[in-house]
Amino acid sequence: MAINPLRFKHRSARFVIEVMRLSTAAALVVAISACSPVSESFTRGQKITPDQLEQVPVGSSREQVLLALGTPTSTGLTGGEVFYYISQTSARSVAFQRPSVRDRRILAVYLDQDGDVTEIAEYGLKDGKVFDYLSRKTRTSGSDLAFVTQVLGGLMNPSL
């Protein structure tokens, strides 16, 4: 019994075509999945939780603030000491894209001359204005407003 060489070539060609189809389909699946949106989110700074805030009521000592919230990002003096805890959330939809800032918050803990908490405010931008998310008020004056406005102003002008 002799092997027909034409029959062998025909099967080999079919096999090659089938392998090419499968490899093309696999390459297409990989290419499409690589371009699908990933949506990564990044948080920088100190994100203070509501549980942490409950541990620092008005009247708390400076030491209690440091134990509950940790070391502040920045400090200031405005008629007493102020602790600023700054956090920023940015996101990108694909891996090679530059992240864009979605939210920037500043938690300000105001201390009097004795080192006791007099006020707590969490600032962010709402409709382009500095807004206190804890008291639900737009801050219009105060010696610390310049600092808060500068930090939050970077959200309006991301090139800073």
Side-chain angles (χ1 to χ4, degrees):
M1 206 188 243
I3 297 176
N4 185 352
L6 293 176
R7 187 173 174 201
F8 181 71
K9 275 187 171 181
H10 184 65
R11 278 189 186 169
S12 177
R14 259 195 276 164
F15 177 74
V16 169
I17 289 172
E18 194 63 31
V19 167
M20 287 177 63
R21 278 188 198 160
L22 289 174
S23 61
T24 302
L28 187 61
V29 166
V30 168
I32 289 173
S33 67
C35 294
S36 67
V38 175
S39 187
E40 292 178 295
S41 180
F42 306 98
T43 301
R44 294 189 175 123
Q46 296 167 293
K47 196 77 166 176
I48 304 297
T49 65
D51 293 336
Q52 289 175 300
L53 274 178
E54 286 178 8
Q55 297 176 17
V56 186
V58 172
S60 300
S61 68
R62 180 181 199 277
E63 290 76 25
Q64 188 174 351
V65 172
L66 292 172
L67 284 172
L69 304 180
T71 305
T73 308
S74 183
T75 59
L77 295 172
T78 57
E81 196 170 8
V82 183
F83 290 165
Y84 296 107
Y85 297 89
I86 303 169
S87 68
Q88 174 176 298
T89 304
S90 55
R92 64 181 177 193
S93 55
V94 289
F96 57 84
Q97 184 182 27
R98 182 178 179 186
S100 61
V101 176
R102 301 284 189 226
D103 188 33
R104 188 176 291 158
R105 298 285 175 106
I106 301 171
L107 179 74
V109 180
Y110 299 93
L111 306 170
D112 61 14
Q113 300 297 335
D114 298 329
D116 295 329
V117 176
T118 59
E119 182 185 354
I120 298 174
E122 183 178 12
Y123 299 111
L125 287 181
K126 186 173 183 181
D127 300 327
K129 296 182 181 183
V130 176
F131 183 77
D132 182 357
Y133 284 91
L134 295 179
S135 68
R136 303 275 185 219
K137 295 178 183 173
T138 301
R139 188 94 174 203
T140 57
S141 65
S143 54
D144 68 322
L145 188 61
F147 172 77
V148 172
T149 304
Q150 285 179 345
V151 174
L152 292 175
L155 187 57
M156 299 300 286
N157 188 0
S159 63
L160 295 177

